[in-house]
């Protein structure tokens, strides 16, 4: 990352940080106001760079973390795989190339391994077209037979996680999850009105390319600027309904890809056509392969894990977090591996918290603020996860953009937000002249907007003289990273309530 060198030159956190009596009174006053404006359950921990809690309220209360759980997933994946790891997507073949006709004689398979950036909407990852171009460059002008989809671990599928609440089915933030991932397993259509009311609007573009063949246009153009367009699932596709105003401009409509294999087939067809490769899906034309050796006919790779993780956290991409977890842990009981990782890093018994997914979309995840600040203190000190704070969004970017934090500059805060209908949480690192503060704020209740305002006010209070958060933590050689402050002590302030 371009800012890494600059951030590593920032002041290292100090082990002797304290909260002054004056600041303690300010924090107490802030909390009383927060309780009045956002009634519900609060858990708060403010710690120094070593994880020693300096001020807190209910820091050991298990609460729903929402997307702040992605902090654990990011650290786990980074520790298991390393920052330079990449995910491969391949075309595999068994057979031989007839050089006289350019025909691949034999079977072929698309191997997808859960790359969240494959055909991603921002065009930052590899494309199916890149694979098709490689086939053409190798002299393959024609492939025959049905599309077979697999992964390195076996069949390539995508399903709705059992751990996610059923009410999220069909929401674009909760698509199907699995190695069969294309365009984040959502589809989009760019729609424009006609000049005169009463006509069908025009579908200008689709993504992945080719899915407009599955869209039935039943929408209508009306006068005005308002748009009420929707993509509703229907057998073998979607139906575009609602209306768009003549002066509404172009509108993008999204829907979950409920049949990602069909979406992949359409996108792959278009990619092959653009690369000049013909595909006859009739299985009767496939010849028996000359041998059983599997060849790699084409191969593309995702961006590095660090790049993927930073983007996933910046956008709070649930699909990406779940794929990171499965990539690092494997397909069998990935949440158990994540739980074991968090327990090892923090020293907290797994019975004291619960993580059932990698994204935090589950209602049954439970963590405590103390667990979060302990994890955030220790994870940057491990050899495999140095500079971990840089993987989290900086203030002014991603999901932190809309928060009015009032901080003096970008990079003063590195944090992850978590938002559900009953959750407003934020956890991360706040740079100050005397070192880094590690903060976990979790609110569970029905007044999330008021809770967000209160949380933003706390960061304005603590970060008025903020400094750029360092990406790497210098830990004293004799430090055991164990908390050195007794929770019953009152060094200027009450530490645990």
């Amino acid at each position: 990352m371009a800012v890494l060198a600059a951030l590593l030159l920032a002041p290292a956190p100090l082990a002797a940080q304290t909260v002054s009596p004056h600041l303690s009174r300010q924090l107490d006053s802030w909390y009383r106001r927060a309780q009045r404006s956002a009634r519900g359950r609060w858990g708060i921990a403010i710690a120094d760079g070593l994880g020693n809690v300096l001020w807190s309220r209910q820091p050991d209360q298990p609460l729903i973390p929402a997307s702040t759980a992605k902090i654990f997933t990011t650290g786990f994946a980074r520790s298991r795989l390393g920052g330079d790891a990449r995910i491969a997507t391949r075309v595999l073949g068994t057979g031989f190339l007839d050089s006289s006709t350019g025909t691949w004689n034999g079977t072929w398979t698309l191997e997808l391994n859960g790359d969240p950036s494959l055909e991603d909407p921002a065009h930052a990852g590899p494309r199916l077209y890149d694979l098709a171009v490689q086939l053409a460059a190798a002299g393959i002008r024609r492939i025959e037979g049905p599309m077979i989809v697999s992964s390195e671990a076996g069949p390539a599928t995508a399903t709705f996680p059992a751990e996610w609440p059923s009410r999220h089915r069909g929401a674009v933030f909760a698509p199907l999850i699995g190695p069969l991932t294309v365009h984040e397993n959502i589809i989009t259509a760019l729609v424009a009105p006609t000049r005169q009311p009463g006509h069908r609007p025009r579908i200008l573009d689709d993504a992945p390319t080719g899915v407009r063949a599955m869209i039935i246009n039943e929408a209508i153009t009306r006068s005005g600027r308002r748009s009420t367009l929707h993509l509703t699932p229907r057998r073998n596709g979607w139906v575009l309904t609602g209306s768009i105003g003549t002066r509404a401009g172009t509108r993008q409509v999204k829907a979950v890809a409920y049949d990602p294999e069909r979406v992949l087939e359409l996108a792959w067809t278009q990619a092959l056509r653009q690369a000049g490769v013909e595909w006859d899906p009739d299985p009767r034309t496939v010849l028996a392969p000359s041998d059983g050796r599997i060849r790699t006919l084409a191969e593309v790779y995702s961006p590095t894990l660090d790049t993927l993780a930073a983007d996933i956290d910046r956008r709070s991409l649930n699909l990406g977090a779940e794929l990171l977890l499965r990539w690092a842990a494997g397909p069998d009981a990935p949440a158990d591996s994540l739980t074991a990782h968090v327990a090892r890093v923090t020293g907290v018994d797994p019975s004291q918290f619960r993580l059932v997914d990698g994204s935090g979309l589950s209602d049954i995840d439970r963590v405590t603020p103390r667990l979060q600040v302990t994890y955030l203190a220790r994870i940057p000190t491990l050899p495999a996860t140095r500079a971990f704070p840089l993987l989290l969004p900086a203030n002014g970017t991603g999901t932190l953009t809309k928060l009015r934090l009032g901080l003096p500059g970008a990079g003063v805060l590195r944090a992850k937000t978590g938002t559900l209908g009953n959750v407003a949480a934020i956890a991360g690192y706040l740079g100050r002249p005397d070192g880094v503060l590690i903060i976990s704020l979790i609110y569970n209740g029905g007044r999330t907007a008021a809770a967000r305002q209160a949380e933003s006010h706390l960061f304005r209070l603590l970060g008025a003289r903020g400094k750029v958060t360092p990406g790497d933590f210098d830990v004293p050689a004799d430090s055991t990273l164990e908390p050195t402050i007794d929770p019953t002590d009152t060094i200027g302030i009450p530490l645990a309530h």
Side-chain angles (χ1 to χ4, degrees):
M1 298 179 186
V3 297
L4 176 60
L7 291 176
L8 293 181
L9 295 176
L14 305 178
Q17 287 171 263
T18 61
V19 172
S20 69
H22 174 67
L23 180 54
S24 174
R25 289 190 294 271
Q26 289 182 303
L27 293 172
D28 292 341
S29 177
W30 166 83
Y31 183 62
R32 287 191 295 270
R33 292 193 302 272
Q35 282 186 307
R36 288 194 298 268
S37 63
R39 295 187 180 277
R41 292 190 299 157
W42 283 90
I44 306 165
I46 300 174
D48 66 11
L50 295 180
N52 300 313
V53 175
L54 304 175
W55 187 91
S56 65
R57 291 295 184 270
Q58 290 81 45
D60 299 310
Q61 178 171 217
L63 296 166
I64 304 171
S67 283
T68 60
K70 291 181 174 71
I71 288 170
F72 304 123
T73 304
T74 301
F76 175 54
R78 183 63 155 77
S79 67
R80 276 282 182 95
L81 302 167
D84 294 329
R86 298 174 184 265
I87 301 174
T89 302
R90 303 180 177 95
V91 181
L92 305 176
T94 301
F96 63 93
L97 173 64
D98 184 340
S99 58
S100 63
T101 64
T103 300
W104 176 257
N105 290 308
T107 60
W108 58 275
T109 300
L110 276 176
E111 183 192 277
L112 273 64
N113 293 302
D115 177 3
S117 70
L118 180 64
E119 295 282 343
D120 72 284
H123 303 287
R127 326 300 293 174
L128 293 170
Y129 175 72
D130 300 331
L131 292 171
V133 166
Q134 291 183 36
L135 295 180
I140 298 175
R141 294 290 184 270
R142 178 182 173 86
I143 58 176
E144 300 174 336
M147 181 183 73
I148 301 171
V149 187
S150 71
S151 73
E152 290 180 344
T157 60
T159 59
F160 186 83
E163 298 80 12
W164 285 0
S166 59
R167 67 179 182 275
H168 295 319
R169 286 183 182 272
V172 294
F173 60 81
L176 305 184
I177 306 296
L180 178 48
T181 295
V182 180
H183 196 256
E184 298 176 0
N185 283 347
I186 61 172
I187 66 122
T188 62
L190 190 65
V191 183
T194 55
R195 292 185 177 181
Q196 297 297 324
H199 298 281
R200 301 291 182 202
R202 297 168 294 150
I203 299 178
L204 301 180
D205 197 10
D206 60 345
T209 303
V211 296
R212 75 174 69 188
M214 299 176 69
I215 299 175
I216 300 173
N217 187 357
E218 295 183 358
I220 197 74
T221 302
R222 301 189 186 280
S223 299
R225 298 180 179 274
R226 189 180 179 193
S227 173
T228 60
L229 296 172
H230 300 281
L231 279 172
T232 304
R234 179 179 286 185
R235 187 176 181 180
N236 299 323
W238 296 266
V239 56
L240 178 66
T241 60
S243 64
I244 183 171
T246 53
R247 293 177 293 158
T250 57
R251 297 295 177 96
Q252 187 182 75
V253 193
K254 300 180 180 181
V256 169
Y258 67 92
D259 187 357
E261 186 165 352
R262 175 59 177 154
V263 170
L264 172 64
E265 183 180 6
L266 290 170
W268 180 234
T269 299
Q270 291 295 320
L272 290 171
R273 184 176 295 125
Q274 292 171 7
V277 180
E278 182 183 354
W279 175 23
D280 180 1
D282 187 348
R284 292 173 297 179
T285 64
V286 177
L287 299 177
S290 60
D291 57 47
R293 186 163 67 92
I294 299 175
R295 298 171 173 84
T296 298
L297 305 180
E299 187 174 43
V300 293
Y301 287 89
S302 71
T304 65
L305 182 145
D306 277 356
T307 301
L308 290 175
D311 183 61
I312 289 166
D313 287 335
R314 179 181 60 82
R315 297 167 54 204
S316 203
L317 185 64
N318 294 319
L319 171 137
E322 298 297 342
L323 293 177
L324 274 188
L325 176 57
R326 298 181 187 199
W327 182 18
D332 299 326
D336 291 346
S337 296
L338 177 62
T339 297
H341 162 77
V342 174
R344 283 194 302 271
V345 172
T346 62
V348 175
D349 190 289
S351 66
Q352 303 303 306
F353 63 95
R354 189 176 190 187
L355 294 168
V356 301
D357 65 351
S359 61
L361 194 57
S362 172
D363 285 338
I364 59 178
D365 288 327
R366 293 291 186 276
V367 306
T368 69
R370 192 186 300 275
L371 178 76
Q372 285 194 327
V373 296
T374 302
Y375 185 87
L376 289 168
R378 298 186 181 192
I379 196 67
T381 69
L382 304 180
T385 46
R386 303 289 288 186
F388 173 82
L390 297 185
L391 298 179
L392 303 182
N395 53 292
T397 66
T399 58
L400 297 176
T401 302
K402 295 181 180 180
L403 302 185
R404 297 179 179 178
L405 300 174
L407 299 177
V412 171
L413 177 67
R414 289 274 176 177
K416 183 72 196 73
T417 58
T419 305
L420 291 172
N422 61 338
V423 181
I426 183 168
Y429 308 91
L430 178 67
R432 284 162 51 96
D434 57 345
V436 170
L437 287 181
I438 303 177
I439 301 172
S440 171
L441 305 175
I442 306 177
Y443 168 80
N444 287 182
R447 305 196 66 182
T448 54
R452 257 314 165 225
Q453 291 180 353
E455 290 167 354
S456 297
H457 185 269
L458 179 64
F459 280 100
R460 289 196 294 272
L461 173 65
L462 293 173
R465 296 188 301 117
K467 299 289 185 181
V468 172
T469 301
D472 219 344
F473 281 14
D474 290 332
V475 180
D478 59 349
S479 173
T480 63
L481 289 179
E482 293 295 335
T484 58
I485 299 181
D486 186 335
T488 63
D489 200 350
T490 57
I491 307 176
I493 58 171
L495 295 177
H497 295 267

